Each structure stands twice: as C-alpha cells, then as structure tokens.
Amino acid sequence: MPATISLEQPSQSQTWDISERPTFKIGRSQDNDLILDQSWISRRHAIIQQEKNKHFHIIDVGSANGTFINGKRIVTQQTLHSGDQIMLGKTCLTFTDSTPPLAVGEETMDKDLTIAVVARQQTTIVICDIHRFTELSETIGNAQLSDMLQRWTRLTSTVISRFGGQIDKFIGDAVLAYWPTSDEGTAQLIKPLQATMNIYQESLELGRRLSLPWDLDIGGAMNFGETMMGNIGVDGGRDFTIIGDAVNVAFRLESKTQQGVRELILGQSAYDHLPQGKDLFTPHQFQLQGKTNEVCGYGTTFSKLKELLDNFQ
C-alpha cells in the first residue's frame, strides 16, 4: 500500500498518493500539491519530504497558525509515522504508510554531504548572542553557566514564538531565528525587532535574578533576503536548516556589534524595508569575511530601538 495523505471533512474527502514524490507541498496558493483554500491555511504552510530510505518528514515553512502532529506543534522537521494526525489550523490530515522504511545502509546513498532544498523564500533573519560569554564562562563556573544557558534558551524560545518567529538552531550562546514573508508577501520587520528587544530586556532581568557579576547583555543582527530551507546531511541523518547569503551576512554583522555603541545591526535590505525610524540607525561600512567589497550595515542601541517600537503605529 502506498504512502498517502488523506483528508476527511464534510466539504471534501480525498486521498493523495505521496509515495513517489520527493516533496509534497501543502498550502493555500495554487503552486502547492495539496491546495487547501481555508483562511487558517497559509499560502505556503507545510512540506512533506521523502528520503531515499523511505522515511517521511514534515516541515512547517513559516505558517501563521502552525503545524501540529498528534496535538503537538512542530518547530523543526518531524518524522511521520503511519496513523499520524496532521493539524493545519482546523484542517486534519492523516498520514498512512504500510511500507516500513529502509534501515540506514540498506539504500544506496551518497556518503558525502548533501543538501535537499525544499523551499526558497524571502525571509527575515535574526541572530542574537550573549556578549562577553567566554569571560563569563571563566568567571562563574560550569554549573552556573549551564543553568544560565538553559534558562536563556528557554526564554529566547518563548519570546521568538510569542512574536511569530521560528528558531532554526541554537549555537552555543547564540540563536538563529527567522520570519518568512507574510501571507501578503511583505517583509516582516517589526515583529522580529520586537522579539529582539524583548530578548534583550528579559536577558538583563535573567542576569539580575541569577546575580551574575555583570549584565547579561546581548548583541543582535537582522537581515532580509532569499533563503533556502532544506535538510543538510546524508539521507536519514539530515538536519533541517535555513541557508543562503542573507544568513551568512547576518552572522557576520552580529560579530560587529558593540555594547553601548551598536548593539543591533541591520543589513541593507532589512534597513530598506523599515516602515519608519530609519533616522535612529547609523550607517557603517564593514569588511566582512568572505566578501570582496565592504558591506553597509546600520547600527543602533537598544534604547533607540525601544524609542522606535514605542512610536510605531
């Protein structure tokens, strides 16, 4: 029996065979494989991907209302099992597959690093990391550092989710988060800025609660541009991530942040999409690793960012 996705509801009852499809796109726009024309479905809502070893994964690609598997919201790729209930807003789909996946090694596979791109999308990227982290780790010891990092990743995850973003990954003391374009196709800038501001404020409060020797301060960078969302690695052992020049530039710009001077840096495209408050940012020319020419970034402090957000209508 092939792998299928089925929809059972009063207005529509249908089954789709996905067993021979490397990707199966679900959403409201006409370029999807499964078109669901309901208000709670995003233009591009989710993608199901099949690996060579017959494993199926589902990925939410920045939908407004989320993707849930058996009642649990997914924030990274999720392996599908036969009988899984996939909730997209109020719409329930059922995944069925009676063919067991191949064990790792049974399939013919390229052992080199591979990239399976499942979506290209205009995306707002945010990088935040903790200032003076190495110095802090040498001062407070491993036990307190581990406790602090666990608390920081939890608060960061909560804030980013609250403002509609998705976490790609945590890398030590840094987080990479992203906001795809809205259903109307416009860049999301204000919510990522609000999330960054809240991470800054809540990080300071966390540092005070833990009686750290100095403020738990962060630096941030934001960029906007085309990214590729996909799985990197070998079949059966890939990690879902976003990649692209916009992501690389965001990481490089974040490394140029400076406490009290330019605590947040916007890339050129993110700055261009700002609806207001551009006068609160100062232009800088940066020589970034991997770039032949200097790159323009726009720096500001968190106090000025608060002013922008307080005045935003």
Side-chain angles (χ1 to χ4, degrees), residues 192-263:
L193 287 173
Q194 290 171 326
T196 305
M197 186 73 224
N198 276 259
I199 291 171
Y200 167 73
Q201 293 171 328
E202 294 191 26
S203 295
L204 291 177
E205 177 59 30
L206 175 63
R208 286 190 285 268
R209 290 201 310 270
L210 297 179
S211 301
L212 297 180
W214 53 77
D215 287 342
L216 187 59
D217 206 358
I218 69 162
M222 180 185 298
N223 203 17
F224 177 79
E226 184 180 79
T227 60
M228 294 176 288
M229 299 181 181
N231 290 337
I232 298 180
V234 295
D235 290 320
R238 292 176 174 168
D239 292 322
F240 181 75
T241 190
I242 59 171
I243 57 176
D245 184 65
V247 179
N248 297 337
V249 169
F251 272 107
R252 303 291 185 238
L253 288 175
E254 198 285 323
S255 70
K256 301 297 183 180
T257 59
Q258 187 177 348
Q259 191 172 357
V261 180
R262 49 175 186 263
E263 298 167 319

Side-chain angles (χ1 to χ4, degrees), residues 62-113:
S63 67
N65 293 313
T67 300
F68 296 76
I69 304 298
N70 302 324
K72 182 178 180 181
R73 185 167 187 165
I74 63 172
V75 294
T76 59
Q77 75 167 16
Q78 180 80 28
T79 300
L80 288 172
H81 303 93
S82 190
D84 279 349
Q85 301 292 303
I86 305 168
M87 289 297 299
L88 311 175
K90 302 175 185 177
T91 301
C92 182
L93 304 173
T94 302
F95 173 75
T96 304
D97 185 14
S98 61
T99 304
L102 299 175
V104 175
E106 288 184 3
E107 75 282 9
T108 301
M109 57 188 286
D110 183 357
K111 296 299 183 182
D112 294 332
L113 181 70

Side-chain angles (χ1 to χ4, degrees), residues 20-205:
E20 300 302 322
R21 296 172 181 261
T23 60
F24 185 75
K25 297 180 290 184
I26 305 171
R28 202 174 68 241
S29 65
Q30 294 299 308
D31 60 349
N32 289 287
D33 300 299
L34 170 50
I35 301 168
L36 297 172
D37 190 20
Q38 286 105 12
S39 60
W40 52 82
I41 302 293
S42 294
R43 289 185 307 132
R44 298 179 183 87
H45 200 110
I47 293 176
I48 296 173
Q49 181 180 27
Q50 180 179 186
E51 303 284 3
K52 289 182 181 179
N53 59 8
K54 304 302 181 182
H55 286 276
F56 286 86
H57 304 285
I58 188 167
I59 304 157
D60 184 282
V61 288
S63 67
N65 293 313
T67 300
F68 296 76
I69 304 298
N70 302 324
K72 182 178 180 181
R73 185 167 187 165
I74 63 172
V75 294
T76 59
Q77 75 167 16
Q78 180 80 28
T79 300
L80 288 172
H81 303 93
S82 190
D84 279 349
Q85 301 292 303
I86 305 168
M87 289 297 299
L88 311 175
K90 302 175 185 177
T91 301
C92 182
L93 304 173
T94 302
F95 173 75
T96 304
D97 185 14
S98 61
T99 304
L102 299 175
V104 175
E106 288 184 3
E107 75 282 9
T108 301
M109 57 188 286
D110 183 357
K111 296 299 183 182
D112 294 332
L113 181 70
T114 59
I115 301 175
V117 176
V118 297
R120 292 176 183 268
Q121 193 161 12
Q122 296 293 314
T123 308
T124 303
I125 301 105
V126 169
I127 313 290
C128 293
D129 98 329
I130 300 172
H131 279 153
R132 301 176 66 186
F133 179 77
T134 300
E135 186 180 354
L136 184 64
S137 66
E138 294 171 347
T139 303
I140 66 174
N142 291 336
Q144 190 176 3
L145 182 72
S146 176
D147 177 63
M148 182 273 291
L149 266 182
Q150 289 179 30
R151 292 170 185 262
W152 188 77
T153 55
R154 282 199 299 270
L155 80 82
T156 302
S157 299
T158 300
V159 169
I160 290 170
S161 177
R162 185 192 313 154
F163 289 97
Q166 298 196 44
I167 291 176
D168 182 78
K169 61 173 68 73
F170 284 96
I171 310 166
D173 63 320
V175 62
L176 165 60
Y178 63 95
W179 282 254
T181 52
S182 68
D183 280 354
E184 292 72 34
T186 57
Q188 296 199 63
L189 271 295
I190 297 303
K191 285 186 177 180
L193 287 173
Q194 290 171 326
T196 305
M197 186 73 224
N198 276 259
I199 291 171
Y200 167 73
Q201 293 171 328
E202 294 191 26
S203 295
L204 291 177
E205 177 59 30

Side-chain angles (χ1 to χ4, degrees), residues 265-278:
I265 301 176
L266 303 190
Q268 182 69 61
S269 185
Y271 176 82
D272 290 343
H273 282 84
L274 267 183
Q276 63 185 60
K278 291 184 178 180

